[in-house]
């Protein structure tokens, strides 16, 4: 069974744990910031899929004061955590929170200028991945950018061992890192890079490339047809 992001204990410890679990967590967001600043106009409406506890939203709202955001998440406890965090910072006027998965995007009228899917699609089951990205594509303006970052397919034991050792170097214990490996088949639905590029293209995107890699974690950049 995948990790329950409606569990208050898991949600409360998420921000601390994610930095031990995901190598280069802050670096991911720095790269996303640089790409958004390069490709997106000064005034824009941004879609954040899987908003987590609100760290990403806070960071982007601080960096881009003229942007507005719509944040969706299927886990209501996680969504409420993010909403509370944003309200505490006084940023709620610029951010709309919606409980639901990407299918909810079909009911929204205003298209987006960019979409972020950071550490989300690797949780989406194989049979729903293309629909996931298609929902995102259909919510975007023409030529809008989509950025994603996910764990990709692990093909041998050495890759697993390297990932385990890297997470230990950034804070996971031996027990925690082994538990991470043991749960990969339950929590994640991993595909390879050509499969991801094909899914993007079939969903309605063009110019699909990778923009970063840390071991088996890859960032993808694509543009709406």
């Amino acid at each position: 069974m995948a990790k329950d992001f409606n569990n208050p204990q898991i949600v409360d410890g998420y921000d601390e744990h994610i930095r031990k679990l995901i190598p280069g967590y802050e670096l991911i967001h720095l790269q996303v910031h640089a790409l958004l600043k390069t490709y997106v106009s000064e005034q824009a409406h941004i879609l954040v899929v899987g908003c987590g506890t609100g760290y990403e939203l806070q960071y982007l709202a601080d960096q881009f004061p003229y942007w507005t955001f719509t944040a969706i998440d299927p886990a209501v406890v996680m969504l409420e955590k993010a909403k509370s965090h944003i309200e505490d910072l006084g940023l709620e006027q610029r951010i709309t929170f919606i409980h639901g998965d990407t299918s909810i995007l079909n009911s929204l009228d205003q298209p987006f200028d960019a979409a972020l899917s950071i550490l989300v699609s690797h949780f989406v089951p194989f049979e729903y991945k293309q629909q996931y990205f298609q929902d995102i594509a259909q919510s975007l303006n023409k030529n809008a950018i989509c950025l994603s970052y996910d764990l990709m397919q692990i093909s041998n034991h050495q890759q697993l061992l390297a990932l385990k050792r890297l997470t230990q170097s950034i804070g996971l214990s031996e027990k925690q890192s082994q538990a991470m490996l043991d749960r990969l088949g339950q929590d994640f639905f991993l595909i390879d890079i050509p499969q991801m590029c094909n899914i993007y293209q079939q969903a309605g995107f063009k110019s699909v490339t990778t923009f970063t890699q840390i071991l088996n974690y890859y960032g993808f950049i694509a543009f709406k047809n």
Side-chain angles (χ1 to χ4, degrees):
M1 181 180 295
K3 185 168 287 188
D4 182 9
F5 291 116
N6 276 310
N7 182 320
Q9 185 176 357
I10 290 175
V11 171
D12 286 342
Y14 179 85
D15 285 331
E16 179 181 357
H17 186 66
I18 196 71
R19 286 162 173 78
K20 300 176 182 179
L21 185 65
I22 307 298
Y25 185 71
E26 275 80 13
L27 180 59
I28 298 165
H29 292 286
L30 288 173
Q31 292 176 90
V32 167
H33 169 268
L35 289 167
L36 291 175
K37 192 169 185 178
T38 300
Y39 288 102
V40 182
S41 63
E42 186 175 348
Q43 294 188 345
H45 188 196
I46 311 300
L47 171 65
V48 178
V49 181
C51 64
T53 61
Y55 169 81
E56 182 180 16
L57 283 167
Q58 175 194 345
Y59 177 77
L60 292 175
D62 287 340
Q63 295 295 316
F64 301 100
Y66 299 108
W67 285 5
T68 57
F69 302 85
T70 294
I72 69 171
D73 202 296
V76 66
V77 174
M78 189 73 87
L79 192 75
E80 289 301 320
K81 177 82 170 181
K83 187 175 181 181
S84 176
H85 178 63
I86 292 301
E87 288 174 350
D88 288 344
L89 297 170
L91 297 170
E92 67 273 11
Q93 296 301 317
R94 295 167 51 207
I95 302 173
T96 300
F97 290 94
I98 299 175
H99 176 232
D101 58 25
T102 55
S103 64
I104 200 74
L105 297 174
N106 298 322
S107 65
L108 304 183
D109 295 329
Q110 184 180 3
F112 300 98
D113 301 301
L116 301 179
S117 171
I118 308 301
L119 300 169
V120 179
S121 78
H122 53 209
F123 293 122
V124 178
F126 301 120
E127 62 269 28
Y128 299 122
K129 285 188 190 292
Q130 184 168 319
Q131 186 62 54
Y132 171 87
F133 282 103
Q134 187 171 319
D135 289 340
I136 294 173
Q138 291 175 347
S139 74
L140 294 174
N141 285 315
K142 183 177 176 61
N143 295 320
I145 188 175
C146 179
L147 300 174
S148 64
Y149 188 84
D150 292 287
L151 182 63
M152 305 304 291
Q153 192 173 79
I154 296 172
S155 58
N156 57 56
H157 176 71
Q158 287 76 17
Q159 290 180 353
L160 278 175
L161 186 58
L163 182 60
K164 179 181 179 180
R165 288 173 171 166
L166 182 55
T167 57
Q168 287 177 353
S169 73
I170 58 176
L172 287 189
S173 66
E174 164 67 28
K175 182 178 180 180
Q176 288 173 321
S177 63
Q178 186 58 50
M180 173 197 69
L181 297 190
D182 293 342
R183 294 184 64 88
L184 280 179
Q186 302 173 52
D187 291 354
F188 296 86
F189 300 87
L190 304 182
I191 58 177
D192 61 26
I193 294 170
Q195 287 174 313
M196 178 66 98
C197 290
N198 183 64
I199 285 173
Y200 258 114
Q201 291 165 350
Q202 293 299 315
F205 289 96
K206 61 185 177 182
S207 303
V208 186
T209 58
T210 60
F211 68 85
T212 192
Q213 176 193 358
I214 299 178
L215 293 184
N216 289 77
Y217 284 94
Y218 283 81
F220 290 84
I221 178 173
F223 299 87
K224 168 74 177 293
N225 282 326

